Amino acid sequence: MRFERILNTVKVLKVYGEKPSEINYITDDSEKAVQGCLFISRKGNNKDGKDYIALAVSRGAVAVMGDEFVCGAPCFIEVDDVNAAMITVSYNFFFSEIKPPKLIGVVGTNGKTSVCHILSHLLSSAGYSTGIIGTIGVYYSGKRINSELTTPGLIELCEIISKMQKDGVNAVVMEVSAHAIAQRRTGNLFFDALIFTNCSEDHLDYFETFEKYSNVKRSIFKSVRTDKMIVNADDPLGRKIIEEEGINVISYGIENPADAFAIVGKESDEGTEFILNLMDYVKRVNLKLVGEYNVYNALAALTCAAAIGVNAEIAAKAVEEVKPIAGRCEFLGRCRGGKIFLDYAHTPDGIFKSLTSLKKVC
């Protein structure tokens, strides 16, 4: 791609050396530098990109971008704010010639993976070709790619979405972690819908206080980031979002008044029955997932699907087909008459909900 096109709207302070006419790749990881690429030198939590410029150049980088000039590159683009510049450059490189597919983000302490997989199935049932980005990997078009992070870094994220789009994917459902929001890993990507599941204590080693942690999750729920907010009305932070964002919010819940709600019935080790009211479409649903917390996950997915135009009857029928998700209250087998479940719950609230649900059915 033409280098000038990649730099469009980037605030460049000074150019050292001769700018290349073409750039064939961008990266902020020196190990991924290839011949003809642009290496973005920026400071991370533990490492400083300027210490890896020589390695990136040795691997073929023809230009380097950073907010502090370092000699040794064929061309160095000095910018005012390298993180802001990376957001612009990433979008320009991956999406200037194609329109990103429909993008749906799932935010919350617990339930993100389950909601993504349920929603992906609902969208597929409605005719979408879907992709998933999250904790247990990247899935699309029958492919599975491992990812080290729940939400990949910005450049990797844009690259994955562009590859999905080129492979025919027209709806991407992705987990958006609190770390990703704080570190701006989603850049300025616009979400067709953002789902909020819940907020409970987690990652205080990084965020220090629950208030800081919850404020980070809250911060992405703005009209400049999404058209539609699908929010849990039974969560305190969810109610705050509903109160503050108002017209852009579609709520779901079990305990409090909401646009979409459920009345939970019989719970067993094979699933959960509930009466669904999806914006006045009513149906008895037999969910193959254990526990009330999975009713919340199903509600989040159903509400989002309806909000972006999926027929309620199609969505409600499809949710009954969803199979247990790997590591999410997954039945493994029996031993000496006891039933064995595998669950990824690791937060106080997540463990409490998993054990409470299993106690009801064991």
Side-chain angles (χ1 to χ4, degrees), residues 105-126:
V106 183
V107 180
T109 305
N110 300 308
K112 295 189 296 296
T113 299
S114 295
V115 172
C116 281
H117 282 261
I118 297 170
L119 181 55
S120 174
H121 180 75
L122 303 190
L123 295 178
S124 296
S125 298

Side-chain angles (χ1 to χ4, degrees), residues 250-263:
I250 303 171
S251 60
Y252 69 92
I254 295 175
E255 298 173 359
N256 290 301
D259 299 306
F261 61 91
I263 301 171

